[in-house]
Amino acid sequence: MPEGDDTTSHEVDTSTSGCTPEVSPSKVDSGANLTLKGKTTCSSLEDLRGEGIRVLDQKGALVESSEIIDFDGETNETSEFVVKAPVLPGAYTWVMVCPGCSGRGVAESRVPFSFEVKPHDTSVVVWSVPPTIECGEKFSVKIGVKCSSECRPAPWIVEIRDEDGGEQGTSTVAGERWPGTSALYYTETELSAPDKEGLYLWEAKLIGDGLAVPHTECISSFSVRVVPIPECVLTIEAIDIISRNPVEGARVVVHPYEGLTDETGIAELRIPKGGYQLFVSGKEHFPVRIDGDIKEDIRISVELRLDLELSDADVWL
Amino acid sequence: MAMKKEHPVGDSKPEKEKGLNRRDFVKSGVAAGLGAGGALLEPSKAQAQVPPAGVASADWHYEVDVVIAGGGCAGLTAAIRARDLGASVLVVDQNFDVGGRMLHSGAWVSFGGGDPVQLRDMKGESDSEGFITVDPLENPEELDDNIELLFTDITDWSVVDPKGQNPYRYNERELVRAWAENCPATRQFMMDNYVRFTRVTGTHGGGGLSRARAARCFLMLGDKTDIKAGTITAEDAGVADFERTSPFAPVQMNDASRSVGPNAVMNGVALSRSLEFSAREKGVEFMLHRSFDAIVREEPFVGRTQGITAHYSPRHHPETGELLQSFWQNGNIDERRETVNIRARQAVILASGGHAGNPEVRSMFYPALREPAFPTSGNALQGSQGQDASALIAGMRVGANLAGMQQNLSYSTTFHISTRLGTRDAYTSMMPGHPTFGFRGSAGVNVGSAGFEEFIAVNQVGKRFFSEVRLPARPGLNAYPGDRGAPGRGLEHKPLDWRNCRKEWVREMYNYDHGLDAALAMNEGSEAPDYYSGPLWAIFDQDAVERTGWELHYPYVSDNGYFFQADTIEELASKIVAGHEFQRVPLSYLAETVANWNSYVDAGVDPEFEREADAPMSRIATPPFYALSIMVIWHDSYGGLRVNGRQQVVDTQGEVIPGLYAGGEAVGGFNKHGLGKGHVHGYIAGTHAVEEPSI
């Protein structure tokens, strides 16, 4: 099998009849699709089209049968067919039963093949966390869960814990899919910020226990920045340096505070007193950095230079 | 005109009776309905093998006076020039259409030395057709040029550019002297062959610092595309629809109102199609879909050049599978044998381009660029055999010397990181409408330099490697007129002045960011023996899309392995591995890199690359998540075959290889970018090729 090929072939030499199951993938999500194909060869080069190949589970029960539809003069093949993998994770050995070669009186051949069933992998995504939250303030975040088999939520329970493991909230992810994604289901959860300023690292943990289909647990970290009540208002006016027109949608950042300019090119940030490093950038404008010190409300006009597409002259002079 | 060496069915005349009389060729060609050249071939002719040296006369499939390998700026100019001087000319090109890179260029042609366009603008005159209605863009003193000054400029030892390189001091002196002397004549020659030049605007890379010498090529928008009349329809020019170009113009033409007047459009289409039209009109013949392989010489390293061998290199439409056809057909020879041998009675001219598209060859200049994930510019238009070093390789096989090999590294733009993301062919802006668009599959998203603050750039294992906002930065080069980084910024440039390269000045001027080199560095996924650095990815989230308005839909991106979207970062990494042709290893670190990046954003400090000093940073957190390819582009070549002032190829003994000429990017020893070099080379080569005795 080539490296990286997730298909497993199993062949037993029966000397008179070769039966070869092909299984893909070799590690499959619980209850997910398992793709099989059967091949068999008679030493007499017999055409077995119309005969069936059967698949038996670990208890000998019939899982599926598939008709042989191709014969190339040597090998008989079924088409690919799909069966459901077991739900319970673990290693499985099933059996493929190929028909005998009637011309030589060879009995049907039984070839075991193995695969592994694993719990569904999950990913937890946390977003829309406000860049700054005032002490004790309530805030909301979005929490999404993605299953490797794109399961819809059962629903799923996600716990939010702080750095010390203390529970800050529990949210339930139901069937609402986040726009633009194929199967990221999400919920919005309200949380409370700590009373003291600082940068906190919290966790969102998917609880995998108790689900009908096993899922792995998954933890995703996210930062919560708690700030004191700002004292000053920094008003930014962004204008294009050439056209003198206001620049709408420019980003205004005095870390960790940030905002966007409105249609008049104005943005207001409420920030604490002290030194600051201001960036104003976009849309399609080069960033401008201004360092300063703020003691009271101030207004700053920032001239932005448009990032024009490079001309030949820009490139080649 | 090309003459087949076999006889048509029913024609009992011996080959030599039809032989060398040019007029007879023309007559028979016209009679056969094949245009002025009129070559035929026997389809039953056995395929020839590529010979290492001489080919027995019986094995020649075609013969002409001058064979030209390559139909780009040097080849097409040489073809017209040789044809004007009475030779039969056959141009062999690997592509399905004529023009090479000239066709998708900006057509900024830098000559000088007192060329006719400089003189026209000095006098404030319009062009002969009266299309130009705007005043000159340069002052008369900036246009007051002469050959001595031009020659001085392009051999100026004292100029050092902001990358710390020397654009001029290593130039081959005889070569550039001849180039300077032929600039005025070549400008006039091109104008005589339907090329219309805009007002002169500045100069072009490697064209010297002292005067304004470059003009672009234009056509006027009209109801009909008519090269003789100088008009082109909006549809053909690719300006009728913002998202569509045309089979005539692979790249949409640009507004030329500033340098010509209303309704003027410009770029390489105006240049290339005009020259091609003239060449076909004059009877130059073309054998397309045919890649030049080898030079046939009497002995491997001795004797006269006799011809070339070339193999069939058909290009098919990426969707329909049909054989691609050139826009114009007159003068084409439809030859489909695997290999043909073409005899050149007078000369072979090598104009098949440079080596930027050949990773093995270009790696002699920068081993990291042996990485095949990064193609040369215009890859979709030119195909995989464009810029394949064929001239250099063939020349070396017959003993040619090389020149200027170190000059490849001079220009910052020779290889650079493109701001156009999400397409394999990241240099050009081709849109759907040209038959080769499918080879790129997407036009790409040009995020500009400012757009690089919106993402993290990761290598093939998913690790960041440089400050993203510095990746697209290129050092400005020396220029005249104006103060665009010329020595003594804002001061008049004085050629040959030692102060130009005084170390204090160079230290002040040097501003090269080495992000490109970091991008090409070895990483955990690089494996012996080549240690490929692998593809590069811009990773961002939905918030970035909403901030920027990037259009992540066709034709800008498509499902072609250069753009991916996923619900999670882990899924994004898996999709890249599964879907990109050069992603050889998993992006094992991507999830960790994104998590680290988000922690840097939260902290306001990027301890790895100090991004916080240059631009704001943004979390990558809001699904869906995206990856766009970041491409390193190797644009053009400066090292190549050594030639003398007549464009004759010179061997390692310093001797001319008889009957062998070369020009354009096939040639080394002249660190000048682009068209201005190639056209003059072609003009010189075409002039002297016909002076060779006929064999």
Side-chain angles (χ1 to χ4, degrees):
Chain A
M1 184 174 66
E3 188 177 353
D5 187 342
D6 207 17
T7 300
T8 305
S9 294
H10 308 258
E11 184 170 12
V12 174
D13 182 8
T14 62
S15 73
T16 53
S17 173
C19 184
T20 309
E22 289 183 358
V23 189
S24 177
S26 57
K27 289 184 180 177
V28 61
D29 271 5
S30 164
N33 289 341
L34 194 61
T35 301
L36 302 174
K37 184 175 184 177
K39 296 181 178 179
T40 186
T41 305
C42 295
S43 56
S44 56
L45 303 182
E46 189 173 340
D47 180 353
L48 297 176
R49 280 180 293 183
E51 299 275 350
I53 284 181
R54 288 173 292 145
V55 176
L56 309 179
D57 69 11
Q58 68 278 8
K59 295 179 179 174
L62 177 66
V63 176
E64 184 67 88
S65 65
S66 181
E67 185 180 324
I68 293 171
I69 58 167
D70 285 329
F71 177 62
D72 63 4
E74 183 175 351
T75 304
N76 296 278
E77 292 185 8
T78 67
S79 59
E80 286 187 344
F81 57 100
V82 174
V83 301
K84 289 291 181 189
V87 170
L88 199 62
Y92 286 81
T93 299
W94 287 2
V95 173
M96 181 168 279
V97 184
C98 294
C101 304
S102 56
R104 306 274 301 263
V106 177
E108 64 182 18
S109 56
R110 293 170 170 255
V111 177
F113 62 94
S114 300
F115 56 92
E116 183 181 338
V117 173
K118 60 185 180 62
H120 294 193
D121 289 329
T122 57
S123 297
V124 175
V125 184
V126 181
W127 72 99
S128 289
V129 183
T132 57
I133 307 157
E134 291 176 14
C135 296
E137 193 180 32
K138 289 193 179 301
F139 65 101
S140 67
V141 301
K142 292 187 175 67
I143 298 171
V145 180
K146 173 73 184 280
C147 161
S148 56
S149 284
E150 303 207 335
C151 290
R152 290 180 67 85
W156 297 320
I157 305 300
V158 179
E159 291 179 353
I160 312 298
R161 294 188 179 275
D162 61 24
E163 293 173 311
D164 301 322
E167 186 172 316
Q168 294 292 328
T170 300
S171 61
T172 302
V173 178
E176 191 168 2
R177 187 163 52 86
W178 179 244
T181 65
S182 62
L184 182 73
Y185 295 94
Y186 82 107
T187 187
E188 191 158 4
T189 300
E190 188 171 81
L191 301 166
S192 295
D195 294 329
K196 293 175 68 175
E197 65 180 279
L199 182 61
Y200 297 87
L201 192 65
W202 288 10
E203 291 179 348
K205 179 180 179 183
L206 172 71
I207 307 301
D209 295 344
L211 299 175
V213 176
H215 285 71
T216 57
E217 287 191 346
C218 181
I219 297 175
S220 179
S221 299
F222 63 99
S223 295
V224 175
R225 177 175 286 279
V226 180
V227 297
I229 296 173
E231 301 130 306
C232 304
V233 176
L234 174 62
T235 303
I236 302 298
E237 180 186 21
I239 56 173
D240 184 275
I241 195 169
I242 303 298
S243 70
R244 312 307 295 175
N245 291 327
V247 177
E248 181 185 2
R251 290 184 71 203
V252 178
V253 177
V254 176
H255 180 76
Y257 304 89
E258 60 183 66
L260 293 174
T261 57
D262 61 18
E263 66 277 8
T264 65
I266 301 291
E268 286 186 355
L269 295 187
R270 295 169 60 225
I271 62 175
K273 291 179 179 177
Y276 66 83
Q277 176 182 288
L278 165 68
F279 276 112
V280 184
S281 69
K283 288 183 169 181
E284 299 175 346
H285 288 77
F286 286 108
V288 170
R289 172 178 163 175
I290 298 172
D291 293 357
D293 193 63
I294 187 166
K295 297 172 185 165
E296 57 190 13
D297 294 354
I298 58 172
R299 182 185 181 98
I300 299 175
S301 183
V302 179
E303 295 177 328
L304 298 178
R305 186 175 295 280
L306 193 62
D307 178 17
L308 297 171
E309 188 168 354
L310 289 178
S311 68
D312 275 4
D314 297 319
V315 172
W316 291 110
L317 280 179
Chain B
M1 60 296 306
M3 188 193 72
K4 68 159 192 166
K5 290 292 291 185
E6 301 82 32
H7 309 146
V9 175
D11 183 352
S12 60
K13 289 184 180 177
E15 179 64 35
K16 290 207 169 181
E17 288 184 21
K18 297 177 86 176
L20 303 177
N21 183 308
R22 191 166 299 113
R23 268 183 206 155
D24 287 345
F25 285 172
V26 172
K27 286 177 185 173
S28 63
V30 171
L34 292 172
L40 297 171
L41 78 145
E42 290 285 337
S44 59
K45 175 71 179 177
Q47 292 183 356
Q49 300 300 310
V50 177
V55 173
S57 60
D59 290 338
W60 294 115
H61 302 100
Y62 293 86
E63 69 174 56
V64 289
D65 295 332
V66 177
V67 175
I68 299 174
C73 65
L76 208 48
T77 307
I80 299 170
R81 178 64 173 161
R83 185 80 186 123
D84 281 350
L85 296 174
S88 59
V89 178
L90 175 61
V91 175
V92 173
D93 197 290
Q94 58 84 27
N95 206 358
F96 72 99
D97 207 351
V98 175
R101 280 216 272 235
M102 171 173 55
L103 187 56
H104 74 61
S105 74
W108 207 22
V109 185
S110 189
F111 290 146
D115 74 48
V117 173
Q118 287 178 309
L119 296 176
R120 179 194 71 190
D121 282 12
M122 279 181 73
K123 296 174 191 168
E125 295 175 346
S126 179
D127 59 316
S128 61
E129 296 165 298
F131 288 141
I132 296 178
T133 54
V134 299
D135 291 335
L137 300 173
E138 304 287 2
N139 296 326
E141 57 269 27
E142 292 164 343
L143 299 163
D144 184 13
D145 201 3
N146 61 69
I147 288 166
E148 288 304 324
L149 181 55
L150 178 58
F151 181 51
T152 298
D153 269 5
I154 57 178
T155 51
D156 188 344
W157 67 273
S158 70
V159 172
V160 178
D161 70 28
K163 198 180 171 186
Q165 303 283 347
N166 320 101
Y168 302 111
R169 70 174 61 160
Y170 302 118
N171 282 345
E172 286 282 352
R173 295 155 190 193
E174 183 193 5
L175 174 65
V176 297
R177 178 73 201 190
W179 180 84
E181 289 178 350
N182 282 278
C183 275
T186 305
R187 181 80 80 182
Q188 185 60 53
F189 170 83
M190 294 174 70
M191 294 163 73
D192 293 341
N193 285 279
Y194 303 123
V195 178
R196 281 95 175 168
F197 288 104
T198 66
R199 293 295 189 198
V200 174
T201 57
T203 191
H204 208 177
L209 299 180
S210 295
R211 292 294 184 271
R213 293 164 172 146
R216 296 176 186 273
C217 303
F218 72 94
L219 290 167
M220 303 299 294
L221 290 175
D223 297 333
K224 182 180 172 187
T225 297
D226 183 342
I227 295 297
K228 284 187 174 180
T231 60
I232 186 169
T233 65
E235 289 73 22
D236 278 348
V239 299
D241 182 338
F242 185 68
E243 291 185 345
R244 194 159 184 83
T245 183
S246 74
F248 192 82
V251 177
Q252 293 163 314
M253 298 185 76
N254 304 312
D255 174 26
S257 56
R258 177 176 167 270
S259 56
V260 178
N263 291 322
V265 288
M266 62 185 183
N267 74 2
V269 175
L271 167 62
S272 183
R273 293 298 188 196
S274 298
L275 286 179
E276 180 190 354
F277 180 85
S278 183
R280 292 181 184 275
E281 185 181 53
K282 289 179 173 178
V284 172
E285 291 184 296
F286 296 92
M287 190 180 292
L288 303 176
H289 295 292
R290 187 147 297 271
S291 191
F292 157 64
D293 289 316
I295 300 157
V296 181
R297 200 175 174 185
E298 288 173 324
E299 299 295 334
F301 299 108
V302 177
R304 168 102 186 197
T305 302
Q306 297 180 312
I308 67 167
T309 65
H311 74 269
Y312 189 44
S313 55
R315 296 195 71 198
H316 296 92
H317 194 285
E319 280 100 32
T320 68
E322 293 177 358
L323 187 69
L324 291 168
Q325 299 291 340
S326 57
F327 187 83
W328 286 313
Q329 306 284 316
N330 55 309
N332 284 3
I333 297 172
D334 186 9
E335 168 61 80
R336 302 191 187 192
R337 278 177 289 194
E338 179 58 30
T339 301
V340 294
N341 305 322
I342 304 169
R343 184 172 183 241
R345 286 185 288 253
Q346 290 183 287
V348 169
I349 299 175
L350 305 179
S352 55
H355 48 261
N358 187 326
E360 284 298 329
V361 172
R362 73 187 184 195
S363 71
M364 77 171 78
F365 307 103
Y366 198 157
L369 274 165
R370 192 172 298 125
E371 169 60 84
F374 305 125
T376 188
S377 52
N379 179 260
L381 174 63
Q382 293 196 98
S384 61
Q385 296 189 69
Q387 307 297 323
D388 63 352
S390 56
L392 187 145
I393 294 167
M396 290 169 68
R397 283 178 176 160
V398 295
N401 201 358
L402 305 178
M405 302 307 276
Q406 85 287 4
Q407 290 180 297
N408 259 323
L409 302 179
S410 282
Y411 268 123
S412 56
T413 310
T414 300
F415 48 94
H416 61 274
I417 288 180
S418 175
T419 59
R420 187 182 308 281
L421 311 180
T423 177
R424 176 163 164 74
D425 194 14
Y427 187 81
T428 64
S429 55
M430 180 192 286
M431 285 287 182
H434 191 271
T436 62
F437 181 81
F439 290 115
R440 58 193 281 155
S442 56
V445 181
N446 192 344
V447 303
S449 295
F452 277 58
E453 78 171 59
E454 304 290 354
F455 54 76
I456 60 169
V458 301
N459 60 20
Q460 64 178 346
V461 294
K463 281 191 170 180
R464 294 174 67 218
F465 52 88
F466 206 72
S467 170
E468 288 79 1
V469 295
R470 297 188 177 203
L471 280 177
R474 304 185 205 181
L477 295 182
N478 306 294
Y480 185 91
D483 59 355
R484 297 171 61 90
R489 188 176 182 84
L491 302 176
E492 184 179 356
H493 169 62
K494 184 179 177 184
L496 308 178
D497 188 328
W498 70 275
R499 295 173 187 82
N500 293 333
C501 56
R502 182 161 59 182
K503 63 184 178 184
E504 291 82 0
W505 161 250
V506 176
R507 283 186 185 125
E508 184 181 335
M509 180 178 64
Y510 182 86
N511 70 346
Y512 180 55
D513 269 304
H514 294 257
L516 169 71
D517 307 275
L520 296 170
M522 287 182 288
N523 51 60
E524 289 87 334
S526 304
E527 295 179 356
D530 291 309
Y531 294 98
Y532 290 139
S533 54
L536 309 166
W537 299 102
I539 306 294
F540 54 98
D541 69 356
Q542 181 63 26
D543 281 351
V545 178
E546 290 172 9
R547 283 195 300 270
T548 60
W550 290 342
E551 298 189 88
L552 300 180
H553 57 80
Y554 186 84
Y556 303 100
V557 297
S558 66
D559 184 21
N560 62 351
Y562 289 78
F563 166 70
F564 298 94
Q565 174 180 338
D567 294 0
T568 67
I569 292 295
E570 294 82 358
E571 183 182 55
L572 189 66
S574 298
K575 284 187 170 183
I576 293 171
V577 173
H580 183 69
E581 57 188 313
F582 295 102
Q583 182 66 44
R584 307 174 184 92
V585 295
L587 287 98
S588 307
Y589 297 92
L590 184 60
E592 180 184 342
T593 297
V594 171
N596 286 340
W597 168 255
N598 287 339
S599 74
Y600 301 161
V601 176
D602 293 335
V605 177
D606 170 13
E608 292 184 84
F609 301 107
E610 302 177 7
R611 270 275 300 268
E612 73 279 2
D614 294 324
M617 305 189 296
S618 307
R619 290 176 61 92
I620 300 172
T622 302
F625 301 97
Y626 301 93
L628 286 169
S629 61
I630 302 173
M631 300 302 288
V632 175
I633 298 166
W634 186 303
H635 182 59
D636 55 355
S637 313
Y638 299 102
L641 299 173
R642 185 187 162 196
V643 295
N644 63 16
R646 295 165 66 91
Q647 300 301 135
Q648 292 172 295
V649 178
V650 177
D651 70 13
T652 52
Q653 307 302 312
E655 300 294 327
V656 163
I657 298 176
L660 186 61
Y661 293 75
E665 289 188 73
V667 161
F670 189 4
N671 193 356
K672 183 183 185 324
H673 167 67
L675 303 162
K677 175 173 70 175
H679 287 297
V680 178
H681 284 181
Y683 180 80
I684 297 171
T687 301
H688 296 298
V690 300
E691 295 169 359
E692 294 279 350
S694 184
I695 56 171

